[in-house]
Amino acid sequence: MSDCIFCKLANGEIPTEFLYEDENVVAFRDAHPLAPVHVLVVPKAHHENILDSVPAQTLASVAKAIESVVDATGIRESGFRVVTNTGSDGGQSVMHLHFHILGGKQLNPTCGEKEL
Protein backbone atom coordinates (compact mmCIF):
# COMPACT_ATOMS: atom_id res chain seq x y z
CA MET A 1 0.00 0.00 0.00
CA SER A 2 1.73 3.13 -1.23
CA ASP A 3 0.60 5.60 1.44
CA CYS A 4 1.02 3.31 4.49
CA ILE A 5 3.63 4.64 6.91
CA PHE A 6 4.33 1.17 8.34
CA CYS A 7 4.90 -0.23 4.84
CA LYS A 8 7.38 2.58 4.23
CA LEU A 9 9.16 2.01 7.56
CA ALA A 10 9.24 -1.79 7.21
CA ASN A 11 10.59 -1.64 3.68
CA GLY A 12 13.26 1.00 4.35
CA GLU A 13 11.64 3.92 2.50
CA ILE A 14 11.64 5.85 5.79
CA PRO A 15 14.85 5.30 7.77
CA THR A 16 14.61 3.84 11.26
CA GLU A 17 16.78 1.58 13.39
CA PHE A 18 15.61 -2.02 13.43
CA LEU A 19 16.01 -4.08 16.59
CA TYR A 20 15.08 -7.14 14.56
CA GLU A 21 14.64 -7.94 10.89
CA ASP A 22 14.02 -11.06 8.84
CA GLU A 23 12.40 -11.69 5.47
CA ASN A 24 8.86 -11.19 6.88
CA VAL A 25 8.96 -8.63 9.71
CA VAL A 26 10.88 -5.79 11.32
CA ALA A 27 10.90 -4.45 14.87
CA PHE A 28 11.62 -0.85 15.85
CA ARG A 29 11.01 1.49 18.77
CA ASP A 30 7.66 3.27 18.91
CA ALA A 31 7.95 7.00 18.18
CA HIS A 32 5.56 7.77 21.05
CA PRO A 33 6.40 5.20 23.75
CA LEU A 34 3.86 4.33 26.44
CA ALA A 35 6.41 2.42 28.54
CA PRO A 36 10.20 2.45 28.97
CA VAL A 37 10.34 -0.36 26.40
CA HIS A 38 7.82 0.09 23.59
CA VAL A 39 8.74 -1.69 20.38
CA LEU A 40 6.59 -2.40 17.34
CA VAL A 41 6.79 -5.62 15.33
CA VAL A 42 5.53 -4.93 11.81
CA PRO A 43 5.11 -7.32 8.87
CA LYS A 44 6.83 -6.17 5.68
CA ALA A 45 3.78 -7.17 3.62
CA HIS A 46 0.69 -5.08 4.14
CA HIS A 47 -2.02 -6.76 6.22
CA GLU A 48 -4.67 -4.49 7.68
CA ASN A 49 -5.11 -6.49 10.90
CA ILE A 50 -4.80 -9.93 12.47
CA LEU A 51 -7.92 -11.14 10.62
CA ASP A 52 -6.42 -10.36 7.20
CA SER A 53 -5.29 -13.91 6.22
CA VAL A 54 -1.76 -13.44 7.58
CA PRO A 55 0.55 -16.26 6.40
CA ALA A 56 1.76 -18.70 9.05
CA GLN A 57 5.41 -17.90 8.26
CA THR A 58 4.75 -14.22 9.02
CA LEU A 59 3.19 -15.10 12.37
CA ALA A 60 6.18 -17.35 13.13
CA SER A 61 8.47 -14.41 12.34
CA VAL A 62 6.43 -12.23 14.72
CA ALA A 63 7.05 -14.75 17.51
CA LYS A 64 10.79 -14.85 16.75
CA ALA A 65 10.94 -11.05 16.69
CA ILE A 66 9.18 -10.79 20.05
CA GLU A 67 11.64 -13.22 21.63
CA SER A 68 14.62 -11.37 20.15
CA VAL A 69 13.32 -7.96 21.28
CA VAL A 70 12.56 -9.00 24.87
CA ASP A 71 16.04 -10.49 25.13
CA ALA A 72 17.74 -7.45 23.56
CA THR A 73 15.84 -5.01 25.79
CA GLY A 74 16.27 -7.06 28.97
CA ILE A 75 12.58 -7.51 29.78
CA ARG A 76 12.25 -11.28 29.37
CA GLU A 77 12.57 -12.02 33.08
CA SER A 78 10.70 -9.00 34.50
CA GLY A 79 7.77 -9.44 32.12
CA PHE A 80 6.16 -7.67 29.22
CA ARG A 81 2.90 -7.26 27.32
CA VAL A 82 2.23 -7.92 23.62
CA VAL A 83 -0.78 -6.12 22.14
CA THR A 84 -2.31 -5.88 18.69
CA ASN A 85 -5.25 -3.58 18.16
CA THR A 86 -7.91 -4.29 15.53
CA GLY A 87 -10.21 -1.63 14.12
CA SER A 88 -11.03 1.82 15.43
CA ASP A 89 -12.99 0.53 18.45
CA GLY A 90 -10.02 -1.71 19.26
CA GLY A 91 -7.68 1.29 19.27
CA GLN A 92 -5.96 0.65 15.93
CA SER A 93 -4.66 3.97 14.65
CA VAL A 94 -2.46 2.71 11.77
CA MET A 95 -4.31 0.26 9.53
CA HIS A 96 -1.32 -2.04 9.07
CA LEU A 97 -1.00 -5.08 11.33
CA HIS A 98 1.50 -4.45 14.12
CA PHE A 99 2.27 -5.77 17.57
CA HIS A 100 3.27 -3.59 20.52
CA ILE A 101 5.84 -5.01 22.96
CA LEU A 102 5.57 -3.07 26.22
CA GLY A 103 7.69 -3.46 29.33
CA GLY A 104 10.37 -2.01 31.54
CA LYS A 105 7.98 -1.06 34.35
CA GLN A 106 5.04 -2.47 36.30
CA LEU A 107 2.12 -2.33 33.87
CA ASN A 108 -1.46 -1.81 34.99
CA PRO A 109 -3.23 -5.19 34.84
CA THR A 110 -6.15 -3.78 32.83
CA CYS A 111 -6.26 -4.23 29.08
CA GLY A 112 -6.33 -0.55 28.04
CA GLU A 113 -3.03 1.02 26.98
CA LYS A 114 -4.05 4.41 28.39
CA GLU A 115 -3.76 2.90 31.88
CA LEU A 116 -0.09 2.00 31.38
Side-chain angles (χ1 to χ4, degrees):
M1 181 172 262
S2 65
D3 62 340
C4 175
I5 190 164
F6 281 179
C7 284
K8 291 177 180 179
L9 285 161
N11 293 300
E13 293 174 50
I14 298 173
T16 192
E17 180 183 347
F18 295 146
L19 280 71
Y20 179 88
E21 180 178 17
D22 68 15
E23 63 277 1
N24 300 306
V25 303
V26 296
F28 51 86
R29 296 190 187 280
D30 192 289
H32 304 286
L34 299 175
V37 174
H38 188 167
V39 174
L40 302 178
V41 177
V42 178
K44 290 181 177 180
H46 186 86
H47 301 283
E48 186 169 318
N49 60 52
I50 194 69
L51 301 176
D52 195 16
S53 299
V54 181
Q57 63 268 26
T58 298
L59 296 174
S61 286
V62 168
K64 288 178 187 175
I66 291 168
E67 184 172 20
S68 178
V69 167
V70 300
D71 286 341
T73 58
I75 61 172
R76 178 189 278 263
E77 298 302 320
S78 60
F80 57 93
R81 181 176 294 161
V82 178
V83 177
T84 188
N85 302 318
T86 302
S88 59
D89 281 356
Q92 187 177 9
S93 59
V94 177
M95 298 305 160
H96 181 120
L97 175 63
H98 58 285
F99 298 82
H100 298 258
I101 303 170
L102 300 149
K105 73 173 191 176
Q106 179 71 45
L107 299 175
N108 186 316
T110 65
C111 292
E113 288 183 14
K114 292 190 189 297
E115 291 87 22
L116 288 173

